[in-house]
Amino acid sequence: MAVGTAGRLWARIGTGMAIAGAVGLGLVAMPAGAGAAPNLPPVSPEDLVASVEKADPGPLNGTVELDNALGLPAIPGAPDLANGTKEARVWSDGTGKGRVALPSDQGEKTLVSDGTTAWSYDSTDRTATKKAVTPGEHRPEAADPTRSAADAITELRTTSTVTVDGTAEVAGRPAYELVLAPKPTERTLLREVRIAVDSEKRIPLRLTVLATGSADPAFEVGFTDLTFGPQDPSLFTFTPPPGTTVKDAPQGDRTPGGKPAGAAPTVVGDGWDTVVIAKRPAPEQAPQGTPDLSRLGTPVSGSWGSGRLVTTAVASAILTDDGRVAAGAVPEQVLTEALSK
Amino acid sequence: MTITAETGPPTRAAAPVGRLLAAEVRWVFRRPRTLVTLGLFALIPVLIAIGVVVADRDGGGGLIGAVAGNGLVLPIAALTVALALLLPLAVAMAAADALAGEAANGTLRGLLLAPVSRLRLVGVKAFGVLVVAAAVALAIAVVGVLAGMVVVGSADGGMVTLSGTTLGLAAGLARVALVTVWVVGQLAAVGAVALAVSSLTEHPLVVLASVLGGLIAFGVLSAIPALDWLQPWLLTSGWSAGADALRDPITLDAMGSSTLRALCYAAIGVGFTLWRMQRRDA
């Protein structure tokens, strides 16, 4: 009975099971490979952008993933900006009502808008914040989508090449890839911006920002899962659960006049190598909660003065000691030139 | 016991599976350490409940913080906390006793010589480990629900989800049941691997040390950013998925993928145990 024929058979079956388990583990662990690029009828960039402006996708739900590899320095008080991936679950009824859930490991932030009231609920401190919204304020009547798309593309073409470069599959849906790339004369850190547009519903499915000198996207946000169809209306209402602190959102703190004291920012250059120069609020008058920026970056100096240089994968900024900030998607040299002007 | 005088053929008929399984379960639960473990594990939710009530509100974020005034979250929080180390410890203890412990006592020899096929022996021992896993998880879940309702109390008898919606009692209990089943699945994977180690050695301590050491090693590996690519291979990387049962609408992706991973680990463990036991000399 010790190792009979049956015994050998079962030993072999045991080995088989173990190998099947290991292979299965590999299959679970491997990310799903990207499907072959779908075949779609060709479309011009103008037509594609015009159809996006006209698009009405109707009710939908899905999962959006944000992959941040911008390389922003760690800013105390703003950990959300650091590299990493984030996920959001979204629902929309297609008429301005919506719900967004931002899950974290052991909690969740929920944003619900029923068209007239917007709620935000944070499970970690169990507070619900309420704010009135005017329905439809974000939908200004576009005069003529085809015209405005053509105008927008003509404008873009002065500094960029705009093409529809092949197709892609995003969240299991075939999509066109609209690509904006800077013209060779533009001095920028960006290589190209790709927008995947759903071939049927014509809504943007994914935005990818690629920087020079790296094959991996510096920033990518897009659907990983998307379903069109009617949504449960109860998703778009919110009743604060028992034990919740309900607060009213402070109104009107986003009006233009409420901006921190300082002149309007100066814009130097145009297109991809635009540099924005602004006055920084002095530390003592900075609004509560502004991250402390005084220790970021490396010291730099030049004919324009001295300051600290902060670089990321797609943008640079110089915080000068005399209280100015120059920032843009450009290398350091362009910033210093702009500051010297 | 060895005489099976049934109306079978003259060759000795194998004992019915049902009786073997019942005998193994009785054998497992007759060990005082199993009962003590069960009793101590049932205390976990009670302690958390008392802690949450004493600490009042603002007990910090996280799942434990979500328990305050929301009793039905307690079993899920307690299971998630215990899954990190305590529940695998209980399962590893059972697996260590199942083969290595019997070998150390000298009783495994009798089992290997008995007219019970090795396959059946492994099956019975694996069943015993699974029963312990289910018992400890169930103990925490049931005591968790009771302590949650009685000590913590719940809002309108329901469960407030992390998404800010309120579920009824039945829906809340269904979520607790789902997490319990998912936890048992994860523990089955730990138990299968522990059983494989148990079949290799005659020292029960080796089984405990390798399971707990393995879990700690997995934890260290998943904390190293450069080893990100290793995450989907590690059993422990899906162990925070229990919190997903508290979202509304519920999302099952993480629990599903971690269950698949657990099934693979279980297949590896049981397969290896089978192979090893067929070759083991009495």
Side-chain angles (χ1 to χ4, degrees):
Chain A
M1 188 72 203
V3 186
T5 23
R8 265 200 293 276
L9 176 65
W10 280 110
R12 234 175 264 152
I13 289 177
T15 320
M17 262 177 87
I19 292 171
V23 172
L25 194 58
L27 291 179
V28 175
M30 290 298 160
N39 271 324
L40 296 171
V43 62
S44 74
E46 285 84 359
D47 290 349
L48 189 60
V49 174
S51 65
V52 169
E53 290 191 6
K54 277 186 289 194
D56 181 18
L60 60 89
N61 73 322
T63 309
V64 177
E65 196 175 86
L66 185 151
D67 191 354
N68 177 355
L70 295 175
L72 286 170
I75 299 175
D80 284 351
L81 299 175
N83 280 7
T85 58
K86 284 203 176 51
E87 213 183 64
R89 300 203 288 153
V90 296
W91 294 262
S92 161
D93 82 333
T95 63
K97 298 182 188 178
R99 183 187 188 96
V100 178
L102 305 164
S104 59
D105 243 10
Q106 303 200 318
E108 186 166 304
K109 267 203 182 101
T110 309
L111 313 167
V112 182
S113 167
D114 63 5
T116 51
T117 315
W119 286 92
S120 87
Y121 176 76
D122 188 345
S123 77
T124 50
D125 52 5
R126 290 204 218 167
T127 50
T129 314
K130 185 171 135 177
K131 188 176 186 186
V133 288
T134 359
E137 70 180 343
H138 58 286
R139 267 180 191 257
E141 285 300 312
D144 177 4
T146 324
R147 253 323 267 287
S148 63
D151 288 351
I153 293 210
T154 314
E155 174 77 29
L156 276 173
R157 283 217 162 117
T158 56
T159 54
S160 328
T161 52
V162 184
T163 49
V164 176
D165 179 21
T167 58
E169 200 180 77
V170 181
R173 299 185 63 87
Y176 291 106
E177 288 257 42
L178 181 69
V179 179
L180 306 174
K183 289 216 162 139
T185 51
E186 302 285 306
R187 296 179 300 170
T188 173
L189 294 170
L190 297 174
R191 181 151 55 92
E192 60 184 31
V193 175
R194 308 181 76 93
I195 303 163
V197 177
D198 190 285
S199 63
E200 182 201 342
K201 299 281 188 176
R202 298 298 168 100
I203 58 166
L205 295 181
R206 186 176 63 193
L207 170 78
T208 312
V209 177
L210 292 140
T212 45
S214 169
D216 293 324
F219 180 84
E220 186 168 74
V221 57
F223 284 99
T224 53
D225 178 57
L226 179 62
T227 320
F228 293 97
Q231 301 298 317
D232 181 358
S234 69
L235 283 170
F236 307 116
T237 58
F238 185 83
T239 319
T244 307
T245 322
V246 179
K247 288 192 292 197
D248 277 312
Q251 295 281 344
D253 64 341
R254 289 269 180 253
T255 51
K259 272 191 177 171
T266 329
V267 177
V268 181
D270 66 342
W272 295 74
D273 44 17
T274 304
V275 175
V276 178
I277 302 176
K279 273 257 184 259
R280 243 179 325 153
E284 58 269 18
Q285 51 171 274
Q288 195 83 45
T290 305
D292 178 22
L293 300 173
S294 59
R295 294 217 180 150
L296 290 178
T298 46
V300 281
S301 59
S303 55
W304 45 271
S306 66
R308 306 187 75 85
L309 170 72
V310 179
T311 52
T312 71
V314 295
S316 320
I318 291 180
L319 304 132
T320 63
D321 294 340
D322 58 5
R324 289 181 297 165
V325 182
V330 293
E332 179 196 349
Q333 197 200 349
V334 183
L335 286 182
T336 52
E337 280 172 21
L339 278 171
S340 315
K341 272 180 192 168
Chain B
M1 279 268 282
T2 48
I3 305 155
T4 45
E6 278 160 1
T7 56
T11 53
R12 285 193 288 183
V17 180
R19 207 199 305 162
L20 281 176
L21 296 180
E24 175 70 16
V25 171
R26 233 175 294 132
W27 175 236
V28 166
F29 282 102
R30 205 172 286 160
R31 288 185 203 123
R33 53 180 168 275
T34 312
L35 299 176
V36 170
T37 312
L38 269 177
L40 286 176
F41 276 38
L43 279 181
I44 297 174
V46 177
L47 287 178
I48 297 179
I50 294 171
V52 165
V53 170
V54 170
D56 207 24
R57 281 296 293 271
D58 299 337
L63 276 187
I64 304 278
V67 172
N70 193 8
L72 275 179
V73 174
L74 176 62
I76 292 175
L79 280 171
T80 304
V81 168
L83 184 59
L85 221 51
L86 285 171
L87 284 169
L89 174 71
V91 175
M93 256 171 67
D97 281 330
L99 294 171
E102 300 248 24
N105 290 338
T107 43
L108 186 64
R109 190 182 165 77
L111 290 174
L112 290 176
L113 292 173
V116 173
S117 77
R118 300 281 171 96
L119 170 70
R120 206 167 271 207
L121 177 65
V122 172
V124 166
K125 289 299 183 188
F127 179 76
V129 175
L130 190 62
V131 166
V132 172
V136 283
L138 210 60
I140 293 183
V142 170
V143 176
V145 169
L146 293 178
M149 300 303 260
V150 175
V151 183
V152 182
S154 68
D156 308 337
M159 172 198 271
V160 177
T161 62
L162 293 178
S163 313
T165 54
T166 312
L167 298 176
L169 180 64
L173 288 178
R175 300 282 175 104
V176 174
L178 173 73
V179 173
T180 313
V181 171
W182 170 76
V183 164
V184 173
Q186 302 299 311
L187 293 179
V190 176
V193 174
L195 207 57
V197 180
S198 189
S199 70
L200 280 175
T201 173
E202 296 184 350
H203 306 286
L205 255 185
V206 173
V207 181
L208 283 184
S210 32
V211 168
L212 293 189
L215 286 178
I216 294 167
F218 275 21
V220 171
L221 289 177
S222 58
I224 301 174
L227 296 179
D228 260 356
W229 51 271
L230 209 56
Q231 292 270 7
W233 295 83
L234 302 178
L235 181 63
T236 49
S237 56
W239 279 5
S240 58
D244 283 355
L246 295 172
R247 306 188 197 285
D248 191 37
I250 192 167
T251 160
L252 295 172
D253 296 355
M255 276 194 263
S257 67
S258 55
T259 301
L260 279 180
R261 200 176 308 141
L263 280 177
C264 295
Y265 270 87
I268 294 174
V270 172
F272 186 84
T273 314
L274 263 180
W275 173 80
R276 168 70 192 150
M277 289 310 284
Q278 295 293 351
R279 300 178 153 249
R280 190 159 177 159
D281 292 325

